[in-house]
Amino acid sequence: MRLDRFLSNLPRFNRQDARQLISQGRIRLDGQECRDAQAEVREFSRVQLDDELLQAGKAARYFMLHKPVGVVSATCHPEHRTVLDLLDEPDKDDLHLAGRLDLNTSGLLLISNDGLWTRRLTLPGSKQPKVYRVQTEQPISTEYIEVFARGLYFAYEDLTTLPAELEILGSHSARLTLHEGRYHQVKRMFGHFQNKVIGLHRERIGPLELGDLPVGNYRVLSDEEVAAF
Ligand code: URA
């Protein structure tokens, strides 16, 4: 919400008071004097009038998790353990997932209570590369490289997938980089060749790599990692 709106929503100020306080330089946003009535106040923002605290601001939390196979990417589920069950954190109801992985997929998952950040990451236009290691039932031929780079038509969504890069690692294994996240995208792309994916693991999203984070563990992201998106 805009700063002037935030202030005039408080019982003690009307719109004129709000404008005046801002133009007098009496409002501080996250510790800095703010004279911009349109500055954005979020639930995480600290707002002060002179030295008086008007809003403390919630702590924004950002995590990366190494999702194991068999744990569901949801905040609650009637049958399976969820990824949130793996987090030893307070106020887990506040947390949401930046994208999902299938039940039988492992790897990097990002979790936060900052809805703007998770949305930015998951918007179709975000184009953050997502890197997967894939194991297949049938051999992978070099023909796949060109077909994936050209894009595949998905009739259900009536779209052609963005060019994807395939690096063949072995007869039945490859590394695939996608620049979007369609439903079951990797499995459907290999499905084009009637080749079943029998192992799928996400190694990276944009600049964030899972590295040697053990399976089932999680860690807090650094300020630089959060800002990278
Ligand atoms: N593509 C899939 O098919 N499954 C996933 O979990 C992620 C990408």
Side-chain angles (χ1 to χ4, degrees):
M1 152 179 353
R2 286 166 49 136
L3 178 59
D4 53 356
R5 184 90 189 271
F6 169 86
L7 293 171
S8 61
N9 276 357
L10 298 174
R12 38 199 284 218
F13 304 126
N14 59 30
R15 282 160 66 180
Q16 197 187 344
D17 299 329
R19 271 199 301 272
Q20 236 170 33
L21 291 170
I22 295 166
S23 63
Q24 288 166 347
R26 294 181 59 194
I27 301 297
R28 274 191 282 157
L29 193 54
D30 295 327
Q32 303 287 318
E33 180 186 299
C34 181
R35 289 174 189 259
D36 177 6
Q38 296 188 34
E40 203 194 343
V41 177
R42 303 189 59 208
E43 57 195 316
F44 308 112
S45 309
R46 181 181 176 83
V47 189
Q48 287 162 269
L49 165 61
D50 303 323
D51 285 327
E52 182 192 348
L53 192 58
L54 299 178
Q55 174 177 282
K58 237 171 39 172
R61 297 179 290 160
Y62 306 89
F63 306 104
M64 73 153 67
L65 169 82
H66 187 161
K67 176 196 170 306
V69 165
V71 174
V72 75
S73 292
T75 48
C76 59
H77 196 275
E79 280 173 60
H80 294 285
R81 266 196 321 161
T82 73
V83 289
L84 287 193
D85 293 330
L86 301 173
L87 266 56
D88 183 18
E89 296 292 328
D91 303 321
K92 289 203 272 189
D93 290 349
D94 261 8
L95 296 172
H96 20 255
L97 315 180
R100 288 161 195 280
L101 292 173
D102 294 340
L103 184 65
N104 54 3
T105 300
S106 60
L108 174 59
L109 204 62
L110 299 174
I111 301 171
S112 173
N113 63 343
D114 180 349
L116 273 184
W117 187 80
T118 54
R119 229 168 300 139
R120 211 168 38 239
L121 263 161
T122 49
L123 279 177
S126 91
K127 299 210 174 71
Q128 289 291 347
K130 298 185 183 77
V131 182
Y132 295 90
R133 224 174 42 232
V134 190
Q135 216 112 47
T136 57
E137 203 166 69
Q138 308 298 326
I140 303 167
S141 74
T142 51
E143 185 199 348
Y144 289 37
I145 297 175
E146 207 188 302
V147 171
F148 289 177
R150 227 181 308 139
L152 278 168
Y153 180 65
F154 281 2
Y156 183 76
E157 296 95 332
D158 186 24
L159 58 82
T160 300
T161 56
L162 292 174
E165 296 91 52
L166 185 74
E167 180 193 353
I168 298 179
L169 302 173
S171 61
H172 293 70
S173 65
R175 181 170 285 119
L176 179 65
T177 303
L178 300 182
H179 300 273
E180 62 194 329
R182 305 287 169 197
Y183 181 68
H184 290 332
Q185 183 163 349
V186 176
K187 291 172 185 164
R188 290 163 79 193
M189 287 172 73
F190 281 85
H192 172 80
F193 295 98
Q194 282 85 48
N195 195 352
K196 189 172 173 199
V197 171
I198 56 171
L200 187 56
H201 174 83
R202 183 154 68 193
E203 297 177 328
R204 182 160 75 80
I205 302 175
L208 288 191
E209 222 161 330
L210 200 50
D212 53 13
L213 186 67
V215 66
N217 285 35
Y218 70 100
R219 71 166 175 86
V220 172
L221 297 183
S222 69
D223 291 348
E224 292 75 37
E225 289 173 325
V226 173
F229 290 104

